[in-house]
Amino acid sequence: MDPRVLLLSPHPDDIAWSLGGTLARMRGAGAEPHVLTFFTRTRYAPTHPAHGDRLEVSRVREEEERAWARANGVLLHRATLDDSSLRGYDDDTELGAEPAADVVSKVARHVETVLSEVDPGLVLVPLAAGGHVDHAAVRIAAAKLVPPALLAWYEDLPYATTDRPELPPGCREALVDVGGYGSAKRAGVLTFASQEPEVVLPLLLAHADSVGGERVWFGDPDTADRLRFLVG
Ligand SMILES: [Zn+2]
């Protein structure tokens, strides 16, 4: 089977927070993880003095993401789209908004390009739990472009700790046991120092404890085999 896996990350920290244990486990089993990040231009960095400064915050967050990718053996593909903080949303209005058609189209172009470059055996797509407008744009674009047998959805954390994601009809759950990968997940989360990692980390660890791992969903039975192969 194919060792290449593509993880779609609306923002630089989403995979570390939502799938950090799964990623570490896949790496241990010999997978080749590619991460495509979409909304990398931003002014949002609540625990950094440059919070609000687009150029400086975008630079800081790129450094964090590249350090995380190096430490985790991730092959990084970065789009440079403006995130919700640069498109006129605030902390409240970015949750639950319908993504604009031009934003979905831009996301889709990047999905298409990287899908053909990487030719992965599995694609992990955010469910958009909590309804963040940037996450919703990625889910909508991926649903149009990723073949169903390659597609699995992951729950976006920390949103999914309080918001039950809306699941595609008929899909089934797969629980990835990430016991033994807690320290890898912790180290990954703490790399994103500008994003309140000390506040977020306890929520992530408590959620993994309560559900018994990291959860993904799939619609096609072949996808479960592909996932089992990748996590070893
Ligand atoms: Zn995000």
Side-chain angles (χ1 to χ4, degrees), residues 81-177:
L81 303 179
D82 286 352
D83 81 346
S84 56
S85 75
L86 297 177
R87 303 200 312 276
Y89 297 91
D90 62 27
D91 286 354
D92 294 323
T93 58
E94 71 190 6
L95 299 178
E98 183 80 18
D102 67 312
V103 173
V104 175
S105 299
K106 286 177 192 164
V107 167
R109 279 201 290 277
H110 289 286
V111 172
E112 209 164 16
T113 302
V114 174
L115 263 182
S116 72
E117 270 175 30
V118 174
D119 190 22
L122 184 74
V123 183
L124 282 154
V125 175
L127 273 168
H132 191 294
V133 64
D134 294 347
H135 289 231
V138 175
R139 175 173 170 168
I140 293 166
K144 292 179 189 155
L145 293 165
V146 179
L150 302 189
L151 198 160
W153 295 273
Y154 65 87
E155 57 180 347
D156 327 52
L157 293 171
Y159 306 107
T161 62
T162 53
D163 186 88
R164 173 84 185 163
E166 189 199 319
L167 301 170
C171 68
R172 278 176 286 174
E173 181 182 310
L175 188 62
V176 180
D177 180 354

